[in-house]
Amino acid sequence: MVIAIHGGCGTLARELLPAAEWDEVRAHLAQSLRAGWAVLAAGGPAVDAVQAAVVVLEDSPHFNAGHGAALTHEATHELDASIMEGTQGRAGAVCTVRRTRNPILAARAVMEHSGCVLLSAEAADRYAQAQGLAMVDNGYFTTPRRVKALADVQAGKAGASIRPLSEADRHGTVGAVARDARGGLAAATSTGGFNDKPAGRVGDSPLIGAGTFARDGVCAVSCTGMGELFIRHAVAYDLCARMQYAGQTLVEAGNHLVHQTMKGHGIGAGLVSVDATGVVHAPFNTLGMARGWIAADGHVHVATHEEVFDAGRC
Ligand code: ASP
């Protein structure tokens, strides 16, 4: 059994947050991992584990998904999410939802009950509500950090001199992948997109094959980075195809996509992935990527930059 998560490749430089906040970021990563692991340890399927892990990250103000999501150009939130299980290849997604508290739960409901793969905007919110999911005012997603980031981005575009925008000011995402006790794989991704994005913009995160993919016997993957490039390169599916058709390992395929394909376009990118044997790979080409994993030894590993912390055993 394995679970691995990411909190986006747009990690701030260490000096920009007090140590106590970094501690809290790592604590929330560990909490997310433990939520997913509890499902796996109880014999649950990978798809339930990735959902449980992502809900914790959506509820944390530290990540660009759910509460704490990026703001659009119009200072509203439009959230995207998707989930896929690799046994039957079922998937569900929502995009540009504005009222659904946990978009990943709406994506799961779409997968289980709608007969569709992707529902959008107000109709997706209405669907989530009809499924009994918690609804909130759009302002629930807003945090002071996102308000400031939007102001900085818009001031920068207006020509004001502000400190150079970090990857974290611009975007971020959360995601999880898992392998359960029977070898089932699953992936889930949830995001607010990027700061100052145009209203109606849809990124890679809710698109199966772009930001999320899972296929038993091969891999599960959740991506982070400027979604337009991930869509154009079908990155999540390409990772799987490289392994399945070209015989690459998880590490070779992930390194190629993050350090060559995406880096070649000059964009910050990262992903978390797991293969059929339980190998985890979390490459990124930015300053840092919030991430973590629990593998067979039951140890909780969390990281935001290079160094990896052992947060104890489950
Ligand atoms: N992939 C996300 C999007 O484009 C953003 C990110 O991960 O940074 O919506």
Side-chain angles (χ1 to χ4, degrees):
M1 295 181 313
V2 173
I3 182 144
I5 58 170
H6 70 81
C9 66
T11 295
L12 287 167
R14 276 187 202 79
E15 60 275 16
L16 293 179
L17 282 185
E21 281 213 44
W22 287 121
D23 288 346
E24 195 172 281
V25 170
R26 286 191 291 270
H28 289 185
L29 291 170
Q31 199 185 325
S32 162
L33 287 165
R34 288 195 166 98
W37 187 258
V39 172
L40 297 176
V47 70
D48 287 355
V50 293
Q51 173 183 308
V54 167
V55 164
V56 172
L57 297 175
E58 286 181 336
D59 290 344
S60 166
H62 291 293
F63 307 105
N64 176 9
H67 179 56
L71 287 154
T72 68
H73 183 70
E74 292 162 11
T76 57
H77 300 275
E78 297 186 346
L79 311 178
D80 299 339
S82 68
I83 192 163
M84 183 170 193
E85 58 84 23
T87 306
Q88 298 172 62
R90 295 182 307 139
V94 293
C95 64
T96 64
V97 293
R98 289 164 162 251
R99 298 187 292 119
T100 304
R101 179 186 160 122
N102 289 105
I104 199 65
L105 298 181
R108 181 70 187 271
V110 168
M111 172 177 131
E112 297 293 345
H113 308 299
S114 75
C116 309
V117 169
L118 173 61
L119 293 182
S120 68
E122 175 54 25
D125 276 322
R126 280 202 308 270
Y127 185 78
Q129 189 162 17
Q131 290 292 317
L133 298 183
M135 307 306 285
V136 290
D137 290 336
N138 196 251
Y140 157 79
F141 301 112
T142 308
T143 57
R145 184 173 140 205
R146 294 299 173 194
V147 172
K148 177 162 186 329
L150 181 67
D152 285 353
V153 172
Q154 294 186 339
K157 283 185 179 165
S161 97
I162 52 167
R163 74 172 163 79
L165 290 173
S166 67
E167 294 281 344
D169 290 323
R170 285 193 287 253
H171 56 99
T173 283
V174 306
V177 295
R179 179 187 186 277
D180 61 34
R182 352 161 259 105
L185 301 177
T189 310
S190 181
T191 190
F194 62 85
N195 282 314
D196 203 35
K197 70 180 181 180
R201 178 263 187 185
V202 176
D204 61 317
S205 305
L207 301 184
I208 298 302
T212 304
F213 198 72
R215 179 170 287 168
D216 281 13
V218 189
C219 69
V221 55
S222 168
C223 301
T224 169
M226 188 48 71
E228 282 65 16
L229 265 298
F230 284 79
I231 295 170
R232 285 162 52 193
H233 286 271
V235 169
Y237 179 71
D238 196 43
L239 183 95
C240 180
R242 283 172 178 278
M243 295 177 67
Q244 192 169 4
Y245 308 134
Q248 292 188 346
T249 65
L250 186 80
V251 173
E252 287 166 350
N255 281 342
H256 183 92
L257 287 163
V258 170
H259 296 298
Q260 294 188 43
T261 311
M262 293 294 107
K263 185 118 193 220
H265 286 283
I267 68 151
L271 54 84
V272 289
S273 55
V274 60
D275 74 7
T277 66
V279 170
V280 168
H281 189 219
F284 55 95
N285 65 19
T286 52
L287 187 63
M289 179 171 80
R291 62 201 185 280
W293 61 90
I294 304 175
D297 66 0
H299 276 269
V300 183
H301 299 281
V302 292
T304 53
H305 300 83
E306 280 302 322
E307 64 278 61
V308 175
F309 295 80
D310 186 334
R313 276 181 67 83
C314 268

